Amino acid sequence: VGVGSEYLYLRNRLKAQIYALENRSVYDLSSKHKIEFGLRYSYEHIDDKLQEYNFTDSVGFVNIIYRNFKDNTLKSSRFSAYSQHTIQIDTNQTLTYGVRLAYWTVNKEFLISPTLQYAIKPRGRKDIIWKGSVGVYQQQPFFRELRDFQGNLNLNLKSQKSIHAIIGNDYVFKAFGDRNFRLTNELYYKYLWDVVPYDVDNVRLRYYATNDAKAYAVGWDSRISGEFIKGTESWFSMSLMQTKEDV
Protein backbone atom coordinates (compact mmCIF):
# COMPACT_ATOMS: atom_id res chain seq x y z
CA VAL A 1 0.00 0.00 0.00
CA GLY A 2 2.79 2.42 0.84
CA VAL A 3 6.36 2.86 2.00
CA GLY A 4 7.30 4.47 5.33
CA SER A 5 10.55 5.04 7.20
CA GLU A 6 11.74 6.50 10.48
CA TYR A 7 14.90 8.60 10.66
CA LEU A 8 16.82 9.28 13.87
CA TYR A 9 19.77 11.67 13.88
CA LEU A 10 22.02 12.07 16.94
CA ARG A 11 25.34 13.91 16.67
CA ASN A 12 26.26 15.26 20.10
CA ARG A 13 29.60 16.49 21.38
CA LEU A 14 30.82 17.16 24.90
CA LYS A 15 34.29 18.62 25.43
CA ALA A 16 35.55 19.14 28.99
CA GLN A 17 38.78 20.87 29.97
CA ILE A 18 39.64 20.54 33.67
CA TYR A 19 42.75 22.04 35.27
CA ALA A 20 43.50 21.35 38.93
CA LEU A 21 46.07 22.33 41.53
CA GLU A 22 46.21 20.35 44.76
CA ASN A 23 48.26 20.09 47.94
CA ARG A 24 48.16 17.27 50.53
CA SER A 25 50.15 17.47 53.74
CA VAL A 26 50.77 15.32 56.81
CA TYR A 27 52.21 16.71 60.02
CA ASP A 28 53.16 14.57 63.02
CA LEU A 29 52.69 16.67 66.16
CA SER A 30 53.90 13.78 68.33
CA SER A 31 53.76 10.02 68.49
CA LYS A 32 50.08 10.29 69.50
CA HIS A 33 48.87 13.14 67.30
CA LYS A 34 48.85 13.38 63.51
CA ILE A 35 47.35 16.19 61.42
CA GLU A 36 46.41 15.77 57.75
CA PHE A 37 45.19 18.69 55.63
CA GLY A 38 44.94 19.76 52.02
CA LEU A 39 43.68 22.31 49.52
CA ARG A 40 42.42 21.93 45.96
CA TYR A 41 41.44 24.37 43.22
CA SER A 42 40.09 23.38 39.82
CA TYR A 43 38.93 25.30 36.76
CA GLU A 44 36.43 23.75 34.34
CA HIS A 45 35.59 24.76 30.78
CA ILE A 46 32.75 22.74 29.24
CA ASP A 47 31.55 22.97 25.62
CA ASP A 48 28.40 20.97 24.91
CA LYS A 49 26.63 20.69 21.57
CA LEU A 50 23.35 18.79 21.05
CA GLN A 51 22.13 17.99 17.53
CA GLU A 52 19.18 15.61 17.64
CA TYR A 53 16.05 15.11 15.56
CA ASN A 54 13.64 12.31 14.75
CA PHE A 55 10.97 12.14 12.02
CA THR A 56 8.84 9.67 10.07
CA ASP A 57 8.49 9.81 6.29
CA SER A 58 5.44 8.09 4.85
CA VAL A 59 4.96 8.47 1.06
CA GLY A 60 6.24 12.02 1.06
CA PHE A 61 4.49 13.18 4.24
CA VAL A 62 7.06 14.12 6.86
CA ASN A 63 6.06 14.14 10.53
CA ILE A 64 8.66 15.59 12.92
CA ILE A 65 8.55 13.68 16.22
CA TYR A 66 11.41 15.32 18.09
CA ARG A 67 14.13 17.90 17.59
CA ASN A 68 16.67 19.41 19.93
CA PHE A 69 19.50 21.79 19.06
CA LYS A 70 21.47 23.27 21.96
CA ASP A 71 24.89 24.86 22.32
CA ASN A 72 25.97 25.22 25.98
CA THR A 73 29.19 26.64 27.40
CA LEU A 74 29.99 26.60 31.12
CA LYS A 75 33.07 28.01 32.85
CA SER A 76 33.46 27.59 36.60
CA SER A 77 35.83 27.17 39.53
CA ARG A 78 35.76 24.73 42.44
CA PHE A 79 37.46 25.19 45.82
CA SER A 80 37.85 22.49 48.46
CA ALA A 81 39.83 21.90 51.64
CA TYR A 82 40.03 19.23 54.31
CA SER A 83 41.59 18.70 57.71
CA GLN A 84 41.84 15.57 59.84
CA HIS A 85 43.25 14.91 63.32
CA THR A 86 44.16 11.38 64.48
CA ILE A 87 44.66 10.81 68.21
CA GLN A 88 46.26 7.66 69.61
CA ILE A 89 44.43 7.70 72.95
CA ASP A 90 46.35 4.66 74.20
CA THR A 91 47.66 1.41 72.79
CA ASN A 92 44.08 0.14 72.38
CA GLN A 93 42.11 3.21 71.19
CA THR A 94 42.31 5.57 68.22
CA LEU A 95 40.07 8.55 67.49
CA THR A 96 39.98 10.42 64.19
CA TYR A 97 37.84 13.45 63.38
CA GLY A 98 37.85 15.83 60.47
CA VAL A 99 35.97 18.14 58.17
CA ARG A 100 35.84 18.81 54.45
CA LEU A 101 34.84 22.15 52.90
CA ALA A 102 33.77 22.80 49.31
CA TYR A 103 32.44 25.64 47.16
CA TRP A 104 31.39 25.82 43.49
CA THR A 105 30.92 29.12 41.68
CA VAL A 106 27.97 27.81 39.63
CA ASN A 107 25.39 26.98 42.30
CA LYS A 108 27.20 29.06 44.98
CA GLU A 109 26.68 26.29 47.54
CA PHE A 110 29.09 26.16 50.50
CA LEU A 111 29.42 22.63 51.88
CA ILE A 112 30.64 21.47 55.30
CA SER A 113 31.09 17.70 55.73
CA PRO A 114 32.25 16.45 59.18
CA THR A 115 33.47 12.89 59.90
CA LEU A 116 34.24 10.89 63.05
CA GLN A 117 35.97 7.50 63.39
CA TYR A 118 36.78 5.42 66.48
CA ALA A 119 38.69 2.15 66.81
CA ILE A 120 39.30 0.03 69.90
CA LYS A 121 41.05 -3.23 70.75
CA PRO A 122 39.52 -5.09 73.71
CA ARG A 123 42.02 -5.22 76.57
CA GLY A 124 44.06 -8.38 76.53
CA ARG A 125 43.14 -9.12 72.89
CA LYS A 126 45.61 -8.30 70.11
CA ASP A 127 43.76 -10.35 67.51
CA ILE A 128 40.58 -8.27 67.18
CA ILE A 129 39.72 -4.61 66.62
CA TRP A 130 36.30 -2.91 66.56
CA LYS A 131 35.68 0.16 64.40
CA GLY A 132 32.86 2.64 64.09
CA SER A 133 32.45 5.74 61.95
CA VAL A 134 29.84 8.31 61.03
CA GLY A 135 30.04 11.17 58.58
CA VAL A 136 28.41 13.43 56.04
CA TYR A 137 29.23 13.08 52.35
CA GLN A 138 28.15 15.71 49.81
CA GLN A 139 28.80 15.19 46.10
CA GLN A 140 28.88 18.31 43.95
CA PRO A 141 27.20 17.95 40.55
CA PHE A 142 29.20 17.83 37.34
CA PHE A 143 28.00 19.31 34.04
CA ARG A 144 26.05 16.20 33.01
CA GLU A 145 23.84 16.35 36.11
CA LEU A 146 22.96 19.97 35.30
CA ARG A 147 21.61 19.14 31.83
CA ASP A 148 18.02 17.92 31.54
CA PHE A 149 16.43 15.85 28.76
CA GLN A 150 15.91 18.96 26.60
CA GLY A 151 19.48 20.16 27.03
CA ASN A 152 18.65 23.02 29.40
CA LEU A 153 21.01 23.68 32.31
CA ASN A 154 19.78 23.95 35.89
CA LEU A 155 22.48 26.16 37.41
CA ASN A 156 20.76 26.03 40.82
CA LEU A 157 21.09 22.26 41.18
CA LYS A 158 22.24 21.33 44.70
CA SER A 159 24.81 18.75 45.72
CA GLN A 160 23.66 15.22 46.49
CA LYS A 161 23.93 14.59 50.23
CA SER A 162 24.16 11.58 52.52
CA ILE A 163 24.85 10.49 56.08
CA HIS A 164 26.91 7.30 56.51
CA ALA A 165 27.15 5.09 59.61
CA ILE A 166 29.46 2.06 59.66
CA ILE A 167 30.38 -0.46 62.35
CA GLY A 168 32.76 -3.36 61.85
CA ASN A 169 35.60 -5.48 63.14
CA ASP A 170 38.81 -7.18 62.04
CA TYR A 171 39.80 -10.57 63.45
CA VAL A 172 43.28 -12.00 62.86
CA PHE A 173 43.84 -15.69 63.46
CA LYS A 174 45.93 -18.68 62.40
CA ALA A 175 44.67 -21.81 60.66
CA PHE A 176 46.07 -24.81 58.80
CA GLY A 177 49.04 -24.76 61.12
CA ASP A 178 50.84 -21.41 61.16
CA ARG A 179 49.12 -19.62 58.27
CA ASN A 180 47.80 -16.09 58.89
CA PHE A 181 44.17 -15.18 58.15
CA ARG A 182 42.03 -12.08 58.55
CA LEU A 183 38.23 -11.93 58.84
CA THR A 184 36.60 -8.54 58.24
CA ASN A 185 32.92 -7.69 58.78
CA GLU A 186 31.10 -4.39 58.28
CA LEU A 187 27.50 -3.25 58.70
CA TYR A 188 26.54 0.06 57.09
CA TYR A 189 23.57 2.36 56.61
CA LYS A 190 23.41 5.37 54.30
CA TYR A 191 20.59 7.89 54.05
CA LEU A 192 20.65 10.10 50.94
CA TRP A 193 18.68 13.23 50.04
CA ASP A 194 18.76 15.87 47.29
CA VAL A 195 19.47 12.94 44.97
CA VAL A 196 19.52 13.65 41.21
CA PRO A 197 17.56 10.86 39.48
CA TYR A 198 18.39 9.66 35.97
CA ASP A 199 17.21 7.27 33.26
CA VAL A 200 19.37 4.80 31.35
CA ASP A 201 18.78 5.33 27.62
CA ASN A 202 20.72 2.68 25.70
CA VAL A 203 24.37 3.58 26.41
CA ARG A 204 23.86 7.02 27.97
CA LEU A 205 22.59 8.38 31.27
CA ARG A 206 19.93 11.09 31.03
CA TYR A 207 19.64 13.15 34.19
CA TYR A 208 16.47 14.93 35.34
CA ALA A 209 18.61 17.87 36.58
CA THR A 210 16.49 18.15 39.74
CA ASN A 211 17.00 17.22 43.40
CA ASP A 212 13.74 15.29 43.45
CA ALA A 213 14.75 12.01 45.09
CA LYS A 214 15.71 10.57 48.44
CA ALA A 215 17.14 7.11 49.04
CA TYR A 216 18.83 4.74 51.43
CA ALA A 217 21.27 1.83 51.33
CA VAL A 218 21.82 -0.77 54.05
CA GLY A 219 24.05 -3.80 53.93
CA TRP A 220 26.68 -6.17 55.26
CA ASP A 221 30.12 -6.96 53.84
CA SER A 222 32.27 -9.90 54.91
CA ARG A 223 35.68 -11.01 53.70
CA ILE A 224 38.18 -13.63 54.77
CA SER A 225 41.71 -13.48 53.39
CA GLY A 226 44.84 -15.50 53.93
CA GLU A 227 46.96 -18.38 52.71
CA PHE A 228 44.37 -20.96 51.72
CA ILE A 229 47.17 -22.24 49.49
CA LYS A 230 50.50 -21.91 51.30
CA GLY A 231 52.56 -18.97 50.02
CA THR A 232 49.65 -17.46 48.05
CA GLU A 233 47.29 -14.75 49.31
CA SER A 234 43.64 -15.29 48.35
CA TRP A 235 40.24 -14.35 49.72
CA PHE A 236 36.50 -15.04 49.76
CA SER A 237 33.89 -12.25 49.99
CA MET A 238 30.17 -12.10 50.64
CA SER A 239 27.88 -9.05 50.62
CA LEU A 240 24.20 -8.36 51.15
CA MET A 241 22.68 -4.99 50.28
CA GLN A 242 19.29 -3.38 49.94
CA THR A 243 18.81 0.05 48.44
CA LYS A 244 15.70 2.00 47.45
CA GLU A 245 14.99 5.37 45.91
CA ASP A 246 11.87 7.51 46.10
CA VAL A 247 11.58 9.89 43.13
Side-chain angles (χ1 to χ4, degrees):
V1 178
V3 177
S5 63
E6 180 177 356
Y7 189 84
L8 175 62
Y9 180 94
L10 299 169
R11 294 293 183 272
N12 299 332
R13 186 188 69 184
L14 175 65
K15 182 181 180 181
Q17 301 177 66
I18 302 174
Y19 306 92
L21 184 64
E22 184 174 13
N23 167 261
R24 292 174 178 266
S25 301
V26 178
Y27 183 64
D28 292 318
L29 294 174
S30 66
S31 60
K32 293 187 176 182
H33 295 270
K34 182 173 72 173
I35 300 290
E36 299 176 60
F37 57 92
L39 299 169
R40 176 184 170 89
Y41 167 77
S42 65
Y43 173 78
E44 300 175 1
H45 183 176
I46 311 293
D47 289 312
D48 179 46
K49 186 180 291 292
L50 298 180
Q51 300 176 85
E52 307 176 347
Y53 58 86
N54 181 212
F55 67 84
T56 55
D57 186 354
S58 179
V59 196
F61 292 92
V62 175
N63 179 32
I64 297 176
I65 300 174
Y66 167 78
R67 59 183 172 186
N68 186 17
F69 294 89
K70 283 289 192 305
D71 195 350
N72 295 314
T73 298
L74 184 66
K75 300 178 182 180
S76 65
S77 295
R78 297 180 192 263
F79 304 87
S80 64
Y82 74 92
S83 179
Q84 180 172 287
H85 182 198
T86 300
I87 306 172
Q88 188 71 45
I89 300 174
D90 53 35
T91 56
N92 298 315
Q93 299 179 81
T94 303
L95 177 67
T96 302
Y97 63 92
V99 65
R100 181 176 294 274
L101 310 175
Y103 179 78
W104 192 26
T105 56
V106 172
N107 59 10
K108 295 178 173 55
E109 188 179 28
F110 181 68
L111 304 175
I112 303 176
S113 305
T115 61
L116 178 66
Q117 303 173 34
Y118 177 71
I120 182 172
K121 291 181 180 179
R123 293 193 179 277
R125 298 286 302 271
K126 296 182 178 181
D127 56 348
I128 190 169
I129 181 170
W130 287 92
K131 299 176 292 183
S133 61
V134 63
V136 176
Y137 179 73
Q138 304 182 81
Q139 179 176 305
Q140 292 179 321
F142 188 59
F143 178 84
R144 287 294 306 280
E145 288 96 314
L146 301 180
R147 192 182 71 193
D148 64 14
F149 285 26
Q150 291 73 41
N152 302 310
L153 300 183
N154 178 10
L155 301 183
N156 295 315
L157 188 71
K158 298 179 181 179
S159 300
Q160 301 181 93
K161 304 172 179 67
S162 64
I163 293 179
H164 298 196
I166 303 172
I167 185 171
N169 66 2
D170 284 355
Y171 174 52
V172 178
F173 62 97
K174 291 183 180 295
F176 305 116
D178 59 348
R179 303 183 196 175
N180 294 319
F181 288 84
R182 179 186 296 272
L183 176 63
T184 302
N185 283 283
E186 280 191 347
L187 290 170
Y188 60 87
Y189 177 80
K190 303 177 183 181
Y191 176 74
L192 305 93
W193 71 99
D194 283 343
V195 177
V196 182
Y198 62 88
D199 284 345
V200 180
D201 180 10
N202 199 354
V203 296
R204 65 175 176 171
L205 302 180
R206 308 194 71 187
Y207 290 90
Y208 285 64
T210 57
N211 299 105
D212 284 346
K214 56 184 179 180
Y216 76 86
V218 60
W220 163 68
D221 290 332
S222 182
R223 171 173 169 149
I224 184 170
S225 59
E227 296 183 36
F228 292 94
I229 300 174
K230 191 170 180 62
T232 302
E233 180 81 11
S234 53
W235 63 88
F236 293 93
S237 299
M238 173 176 278
S239 298
L240 295 173
M241 182 182 71
Q242 175 173 286
T243 181
K244 290 186 178 182
E245 183 181 45
D246 182 12
V247 181

